[in-house]
Amino acid sequence: MAVAPVARAEQAQAIPPLPLQQVAEHIWFVQGQAALGSPANRNFISNAGFIVTRDGVVVVDALGSPDLARALLAAIRSVTDQPVRFVIVTHYHADHIYGLQVFKEQGATIIARQEGREYLNSETAQRRLEASRQELAPWVDARTHLVPADRWLDADTTLTVGGEHLQLRHVGPAHTPEDLAVFVESSRVLFAGDLVFRGRVPYVGTADSQAWIAALSGLIDLKPVVIVPGHGALSREPLADLTLTRDYLQYLRKSMAEAAANLEPFEDAYARTDWSAFEHLPLFGVANRINAYNTYLLMEQAGR
């Protein structure tokens, strides 16, 4: 059921401003909570950032609801009156895209990798949206809709806006087929999307973890000074954080590959695996078992 306009106005007024963190000169981001999306946190569980140039603003990701996107736009307005010219989508997961419609209404051009079309047009995306309208109400409701890109990229490119050069690099298939990283050349700031989950266990799902590991190695080669991850705190120790995610994925593959090769049942393999290097990380209890199970199935299939 749609929320009445008066109720929505009251909710909008009740939303606290998003606290901005400055990453570098002319670059800021907002940090989502290390939690699952819920009405209590407004689905504010992912990060988004923006680069201010003399010719406009470039936003990276749009957060998990239209109301959050409006709050992000208000935060941008607290820094600059420049219009938002571009929104770059690192990947088409709900917590990063449900705010896109707000920026589209403002006239921004949305950029994403062409592989995102398949998910965007899938029944899975529609079912997820319907579920979110129920589970995340009133922040996601009947007026929340999926927004395609205006520019679907089929190759790496450099976006130049107001003298800033932004490398847009395809780093999928990894977390998703359409993973896109944004590297700001002047400040060596890397927006890594969900390839990097700083200080928490990543959500692996059915990702191609081998390709993900290779993509992380490529990002290490960029030698970024700062990383804005898709989730978690800003990283000024990029090598350590890139390595943490890579090590976790490698450990999943190694431990589950051994189990699959020995025809060991998953539950037995999971119980005997030493998770002590990672079990202290946030969301370990929520994500690790399903990550391990999906990796087990992946390695089992690869061994056939």
Side-chain angles (χ1 to χ4, degrees), residues 28-304:
W28 288 261
F29 92 114
V30 295
Q31 181 182 335
Q33 299 179 23
L36 299 178
S38 69
N41 61 32
R42 301 169 286 148
N43 206 29
F44 185 31
I45 60 171
S46 64
N47 299 342
F50 59 95
I51 303 104
V52 178
T53 83
R54 63 175 181 265
D55 291 334
V57 179
V58 181
V59 174
V60 181
D61 285 337
L63 299 178
S65 71
D67 285 292
L68 283 172
R70 293 184 191 100
L72 176 59
L73 187 58
I76 294 170
R77 290 288 167 262
S78 73
V79 172
T80 179
D81 292 330
Q82 289 277 10
V84 175
R85 290 191 55 199
F86 299 95
V87 179
I88 301 168
V89 179
T90 62
H91 62 295
Y92 265 91
H93 276 183
D95 53 322
H96 297 261
I97 64 164
Y98 283 168
L100 280 175
Q101 64 194 66
V102 172
F103 292 103
K104 183 65 177 174
E105 290 164 2
Q106 295 289 319
T109 297
I110 299 167
I111 301 174
R113 276 290 307 190
Q114 64 176 359
E115 292 83 359
R117 284 173 169 159
E118 182 175 354
Y119 174 75
L120 189 66
N121 296 319
S122 69
E123 290 185 11
T124 300
Q126 291 298 328
R127 287 196 301 268
R128 176 64 188 272
L129 178 57
E130 289 301 324
S132 295
R133 286 168 173 163
Q134 300 297 319
E135 297 167 1
L136 299 172
W139 312 111
V140 176
D141 64 16
R143 287 181 286 190
T144 307
H145 57 271
L146 300 173
V147 178
D150 300 297
R151 285 180 59 187
W152 293 105
L153 301 179
D154 60 5
D156 291 353
T157 189
T158 298
L159 176 68
T160 301
V161 185
E164 290 287 348
H165 304 294
L166 281 61
Q167 294 183 26
L168 309 186
R169 292 197 170 201
H170 183 214
V171 287
H175 181 67
T176 68
E178 69 272 14
D179 288 314
L180 191 64
V182 181
F183 184 62
V184 185
E185 292 182 0
S186 62
S187 54
R188 306 198 70 78
V189 171
L190 175 67
F191 288 87
D194 279 9
L195 262 71
V196 179
F197 285 65
R198 184 171 188 250
R200 57 161 280 194
V201 168
Y203 170 69
V204 178
T206 57
D208 183 340
S209 52
Q210 186 170 16
W212 191 340
I213 290 165
L216 288 168
S217 296
L219 294 181
I220 290 170
D221 291 341
L222 280 174
K223 298 180 180 178
V225 173
V226 184
I227 291 178
V228 180
H231 297 263
L234 186 74
S235 171
R236 297 192 185 277
E237 297 180 350
L239 180 59
D241 290 311
L242 288 166
T243 302
L244 172 64
T245 304
R246 185 176 64 179
D247 287 353
Y248 174 73
L249 295 173
Q250 288 176 329
Y251 190 72
L252 277 179
R253 289 182 64 86
K254 180 177 182 295
S255 57
M256 294 301 104
E258 291 173 355
N262 294 330
L263 304 180
E264 184 179 7
F266 169 74
E267 291 296 337
D268 293 347
Y270 189 85
R272 70 158 179 78
T273 300
D274 179 7
W275 300 109
S276 59
F278 307 103
E279 62 188 2
H280 65 286
L281 297 173
L283 296 187
F284 176 88
V286 173
N288 191 65
R289 179 177 289 272
I290 189 64
N291 286 347
Y293 181 65
N294 285 336
T295 304
Y296 177 88
L297 295 178
L298 183 71
M299 304 312 294
E300 186 178 51
Q301 186 176 37
R304 289 174 180 170

